[in-house]
Amino acid sequence: MRRTALAALCLAAAATAGLTGCLPGQNSADDKPKGPFAGLTGGEIADRSMKATTGATSLRMQGDIPDDESNGTIRIDMALNKKGDCAGTMSVGSQGKADLIKTGDTVYMKYDEAFLRAQGKGDPKADTDAVVDMMAGKWTKMSAKGKDAKDIAGFCDLDSVLGGPEEGNSDAKRGATTTIDGTPAIVLHEKDGKDRYTLYVATQGKPYLLKVTSTSKNEPGSIVFTDFEKRVPADAPKGKVLDLDKLGG
């Protein structure tokens, strides 16, 4: 249960943070291009985009990422900020959904029955039934500083997920213009060895990174970024909450 939740967050982080080392830089192949970011190379645009995106104090990530453990696809929808707060959901194909909130020093999670049964596969049916009866559809909480939650809590920190811009030599190529959810954007084509990435950078307002698509054999997937600088709805659940730290103690 916790292992799959953590895997979802790690993979999402890898899909974004893994690009910070190859984006910045310059591309001398572009010869004074016109249009959005006139005169800038693909690498220079990527550099500006990473600085703007890593400088945001909050954002929302949505995407579908392959999961090696389940051989399925993890869908993640998470809003997070640099204070370490986060709120969102994750699901693994048909294996159910988990809701996650971290606020302050507490991590809250809620699992549906399908998620709990998928995680209990191989365990005695009576044990799985007991877990489902106790936890399905109910909010649970753990200390963010405890060993069972500290890794998940770490990936609720926007600084940890995005990392920081690094200097490097990018061969990003300028592509066509398009729109992502109604926001005008320019397409950049980036490669790192055999891996290929398509980046979509906002051409109006701050040059935020709006979307990244990877065709890497190891980490294919797509992440969309929205809700820059908006409040993260990381409010503690109301009503009865099951304290897993007390149960484990």
Side-chain angles (χ1 to χ4, degrees):
M1 173 173 50
R2 294 171 186 162
R3 188 168 60 249
T4 298
L6 176 58
L9 291 172
C10 288
L11 285 167
T16 53
L19 293 177
T20 59
C22 65
L23 292 183
Q26 296 186 356
N27 178 17
S28 59
D30 292 328
D31 184 20
K32 295 182 180 180
K34 299 178 177 60
F37 301 106
L40 295 184
T41 67
E44 289 169 336
I45 297 171
D47 188 12
R48 291 192 179 192
S49 177
M50 285 309 301
K51 287 181 179 179
T53 304
T54 58
T57 59
S58 65
L59 56 76
R60 179 181 178 186
M61 301 190 311
Q62 299 168 277
D64 295 305
I65 307 161
D67 176 32
D68 292 337
E69 187 173 328
S70 67
N71 290 321
T73 299
I74 293 176
R75 174 164 291 181
I76 186 168
D77 183 350
M78 195 69 57
L80 60 166
N81 63 28
K82 290 191 174 181
K83 295 192 299 182
D85 299 327
C86 70
T89 63
M90 62 189 76
S91 58
V92 186
S94 62
Q95 298 182 28
K97 184 185 74 168
D99 299 314
L100 167 65
I101 296 172
K102 177 185 173 291
T103 180
D105 291 330
T106 305
V107 172
Y108 299 90
M109 296 197 75
K110 181 172 67 174
Y111 312 91
D112 66 11
E113 180 175 346
F115 192 101
L116 293 171
R117 291 199 180 280
Q119 299 312 301
K121 186 177 181 180
D123 294 339
K125 183 177 183 300
D127 291 350
T128 301
D129 288 344
V131 171
V132 169
D133 289 341
M134 180 176 64
M135 298 177 59
K138 301 173 184 177
W139 280 105
T140 67
K141 69 177 181 179
M142 297 179 286
S143 169
K145 297 180 180 179
K147 65 178 182 179
D148 290 330
K150 63 180 181 179
D151 289 333
I152 294 176
F155 282 103
C156 283
D157 185 339
L158 188 57
D159 278 330
S160 297
V161 172
L162 291 182
E166 301 175 9
E167 295 301 325
N169 294 316
S170 168
D171 64 354
K173 299 291 193 299
R174 294 174 60 115
T177 55
T178 185
T179 58
I180 300 295
D181 293 332
T183 300
I186 187 171
V187 181
L188 302 178
H189 301 285
E190 175 69 270
K191 62 181 180 180
D192 183 10
K194 294 182 179 180
D195 296 333
R196 298 292 183 270
Y197 305 96
T198 304
L199 288 67
Y200 301 81
V201 177
T203 58
Q204 293 182 0
K206 292 187 177 181
Y208 289 127
L209 183 62
L210 302 178
K211 182 178 180 180
V212 178
T213 299
S214 167
T215 58
S216 163
K217 289 184 178 180
N218 295 326
E219 291 178 349
S222 180
I223 296 287
V224 174
F225 300 92
T226 58
D227 294 353
F228 294 94
E229 304 297 347
K230 291 187 178 181
R231 177 184 176 273
V232 173
D235 301 312
K238 297 180 179 179
K240 187 176 180 180
V241 176
L242 189 62
D243 192 328
L244 297 183
D245 290 333
K246 289 184 178 178
L247 288 176

